[in-house]
PDB file of all heavy atoms in Angstrom:
ATOM      1  N   GLY M  17     -57.677 -89.778-152.318  1.00 94.00           N
ATOM      2  CA  GLY M  17     -56.307 -89.963-152.790  1.00 94.00           C
ATOM      3  C   GLY M  17     -55.511 -90.805-151.841  1.00 94.00           C
ATOM      4  O   GLY M  17     -55.988 -91.328-150.828  1.00 94.00           O
ATOM      5  N   GLU M  18     -54.224 -90.995-152.183  1.00 94.00           N
ATOM      6  CA  GLU M  18     -53.335 -91.806-151.384  1.00 94.00           C
ATOM      7  C   GLU M  18     -52.742 -90.997-150.288  1.00 94.00           C
ATOM      8  O   GLU M  18     -52.481 -89.777-150.423  1.00 94.00           O
ATOM      9  CB  GLU M  18     -52.212 -92.427-152.308  1.00 94.00           C
ATOM     10  CG  GLU M  18     -52.743 -93.440-153.268  1.00 94.00           C
ATOM     11  CD  GLU M  18     -51.572 -94.092-154.029  1.00 94.00           C
ATOM     12  OE1 GLU M  18     -50.388 -93.703-153.824  1.00 94.00           O
ATOM     13  OE2 GLU M  18     -51.840 -95.036-154.789  1.00 94.00           O
ATOM     14  N   VAL M  19     -52.445 -91.675-149.178  1.00 93.00           N
ATOM     15  CA  VAL M  19     -51.860 -91.055-148.003  1.00 93.00           C
ATOM     16  C   VAL M  19     -50.369 -90.740-148.205  1.00 93.00           C
ATOM     17  O   VAL M  19     -49.640 -91.552-148.697  1.00 93.00           O
ATOM     18  CB  VAL M  19     -52.048 -92.012-146.763  1.00 93.00           C
ATOM     19  CG1 VAL M  19     -51.101 -91.601-145.618  1.00 93.00           C
ATOM     20  CG2 VAL M  19     -53.489 -92.031-146.314  1.00 93.00           C
ATOM     21  N   ARG M  20     -50.026 -89.551-147.767  1.00 91.00           N
ATOM     22  CA  ARG M  20     -48.607 -89.164-147.643  1.00 91.00           C
ATOM     23  C   ARG M  20     -48.481 -88.520-146.281  1.00 91.00           C
ATOM     24  O   ARG M  20     -49.297 -87.741-145.860  1.00 91.00           O
ATOM     25  CB  ARG M  20     -48.181 -88.170-148.732  1.00 91.00           C
ATOM     26  CG  ARG M  20     -48.163 -88.678-150.122  1.00 91.00           C
ATOM     27  CD  ARG M  20     -47.038 -89.630-150.428  1.00 91.00           C
ATOM     28  NE  ARG M  20     -47.069 -90.093-151.792  1.00 91.00           N
ATOM     29  CZ  ARG M  20     -47.782 -91.066-152.255  1.00 91.00           C
ATOM     30  NH1 ARG M  20     -48.562 -91.805-151.408  1.00 91.00           N
ATOM     31  NH2 ARG M  20     -47.715 -91.413-153.515  1.00 91.00           N
ATOM     32  N   HIS M  21     -47.385 -88.862-145.578  1.00 87.00           N
ATOM     33  CA  HIS M  21     -47.161 -88.384-144.206  1.00 87.00           C
ATOM     34  C   HIS M  21     -46.272 -87.182-144.165  1.00 87.00           C
ATOM     35  O   HIS M  21     -45.370 -87.023-144.967  1.00 87.00           O
ATOM     36  CB  HIS M  21     -46.601 -89.472-143.309  1.00 87.00           C
ATOM     37  CG  HIS M  21     -47.594 -90.543-142.921  1.00 87.00           C
ATOM     38  ND1 HIS M  21     -48.341 -90.452-141.794  1.00 87.00           N
ATOM     39  CD2 HIS M  21     -47.998 -91.664-143.538  1.00 87.00           C
ATOM     40  CE1 HIS M  21     -49.120 -91.463-141.703  1.00 87.00           C
ATOM     41  NE2 HIS M  21     -48.967 -92.267-142.779  1.00 87.00           N
ATOM     42  N   LEU M 208     -52.122 -94.697-140.356  1.00 91.00           N
ATOM     43  CA  LEU M 208     -52.442 -95.077-141.709  1.00 91.00           C
ATOM     44  C   LEU M 208     -51.185 -95.218-142.470  1.00 91.00           C
ATOM     45  O   LEU M 208     -50.323 -94.297-142.547  1.00 91.00           O
ATOM     46  CB  LEU M 208     -53.358 -94.007-142.338  1.00 91.00           C
ATOM     47  CG  LEU M 208     -54.800 -93.869-141.777  1.00 91.00           C
ATOM     48  CD1 LEU M 208     -55.431 -92.640-142.281  1.00 91.00           C
ATOM     49  CD2 LEU M 208     -55.583 -95.111-142.101  1.00 91.00           C
ATOM     50  N   ALA M 209     -51.033 -96.303-143.210  1.00 89.00           N
ATOM     51  CA  ALA M 209     -49.791 -96.610-143.963  1.00 89.00           C
ATOM     52  C   ALA M 209     -49.658 -95.704-145.163  1.00 89.00           C
ATOM     53  O   ALA M 209     -50.631 -95.332-145.775  1.00 89.00           O
ATOM     54  CB  ALA M 209     -49.790 -98.069-144.360  1.00 89.00           C
ATOM     55  N   GLU M 210     -48.384 -95.328-145.434  1.00 88.00           N
ATOM     56  CA  GLU M 210     -48.126 -94.530-146.635  1.00 88.00           C
ATOM     57  C   GLU M 210     -48.687 -95.240-147.889  1.00 88.00           C
ATOM     58  O   GLU M 210     -48.542 -96.444-148.083  1.00 88.00           O
ATOM     59  CB  GLU M 210     -46.568 -94.409-146.795  1.00 88.00           C
ATOM     60  CG  GLU M 210     -46.105 -93.419-147.811  1.00 88.00           C
ATOM     61  CD  GLU M 210     -46.016 -91.992-147.256  1.00 88.00           C
ATOM     62  OE1 GLU M 210     -46.268 -91.805-146.061  1.00 88.00           O
ATOM     63  OE2 GLU M 210     -45.649 -91.102-147.999  1.00 88.00           O
ATOM     64  N   GLY M 211     -49.356 -94.489-148.700  1.00 91.00           N
ATOM     65  CA  GLY M 211     -49.936 -95.047-149.958  1.00 91.00           C
ATOM     66  C   GLY M 211     -51.309 -95.616-149.784  1.00 91.00           C
ATOM     67  O   GLY M 211     -51.932 -95.982-150.817  1.00 91.00           O
ATOM     68  N   THR M 212     -51.872 -95.627-148.561  1.00 94.00           N
ATOM     69  CA  THR M 212     -53.231 -96.143-148.370  1.00 94.00           C
ATOM     70  C   THR M 212     -54.211 -95.201-149.076  1.00 94.00           C
ATOM     71  O   THR M 212     -54.098 -93.937-148.966  1.00 94.00           O
ATOM     72  CB  THR M 212     -53.586 -96.190-146.885  1.00 94.00           C
ATOM     73  OG1 THR M 212     -52.657 -97.056-146.240  1.00 94.00           O
ATOM     74  CG2 THR M 212     -54.979 -96.704-146.653  1.00 94.00           C
ATOM     75  N   MET M 213     -55.229 -95.706-149.748  1.00 95.00           N
ATOM     76  CA  MET M 213     -56.233 -94.911-150.390  1.00 95.00           C
ATOM     77  C   MET M 213     -57.280 -94.539-149.327  1.00 95.00           C
ATOM     78  O   MET M 213     -57.740 -95.355-148.581  1.00 95.00           O
ATOM     79  CB  MET M 213     -56.917 -95.699-151.496  1.00 95.00           C
ATOM     80  CG  MET M 213     -58.006 -94.916-152.229  1.00 95.00           C
ATOM     81  SD  MET M 213     -57.389 -93.436-153.087  1.00 95.00           S
ATOM     82  CE  MET M 213     -56.372 -94.176-154.383  1.00 95.00           C
ATOM     83  N   VAL M 214     -57.562 -93.272-149.260  1.00 96.00           N
ATOM     84  CA  VAL M 214     -58.587 -92.709-148.290  1.00 96.00           C
ATOM     85  C   VAL M 214     -59.497 -91.705-149.034  1.00 96.00           C
ATOM     86  O   VAL M 214     -59.132 -91.128-150.002  1.00 96.00           O
ATOM     87  CB  VAL M 214     -57.927 -92.028-147.055  1.00 96.00           C
ATOM     88  CG1 VAL M 214     -57.115 -93.018-146.281  1.00 96.00           C
ATOM     89  CG2 VAL M 214     -57.067 -90.823-147.510  1.00 96.00           C
ATOM     90  N   GLU M 226     -59.593 -97.168-147.577  1.00 94.00           N
ATOM     91  CA  GLU M 226     -59.805 -98.104-148.649  1.00 94.00           C
ATOM     92  C   GLU M 226     -61.307 -98.132-149.031  1.00 94.00           C
ATOM     93  O   GLU M 226     -61.975 -99.153-148.971  1.00 94.00           O
ATOM     94  CB  GLU M 226     -59.316 -99.545-148.285  1.00 94.00           C
ATOM     95  CG  GLU M 226     -57.853 -99.644-147.956  1.00 94.00           C
ATOM     96  CD  GLU M 226     -56.948 -99.416-149.150  1.00 94.00           C
ATOM     97  OE1 GLU M 226     -57.467 -99.233-150.281  1.00 94.00           O
ATOM     98  OE2 GLU M 226     -55.725 -99.421-148.987  1.00 94.00           O
TER      99      GLU M 226
END
Side-chain angles (χ1 to χ4, degrees):
E18 293 186 354
V19 163
R20 294 286 182 275
H21 285 269
L208 292 170
E210 192 87 0
T212 301
M213 180 63 67
V214 296
E226 300 292 358

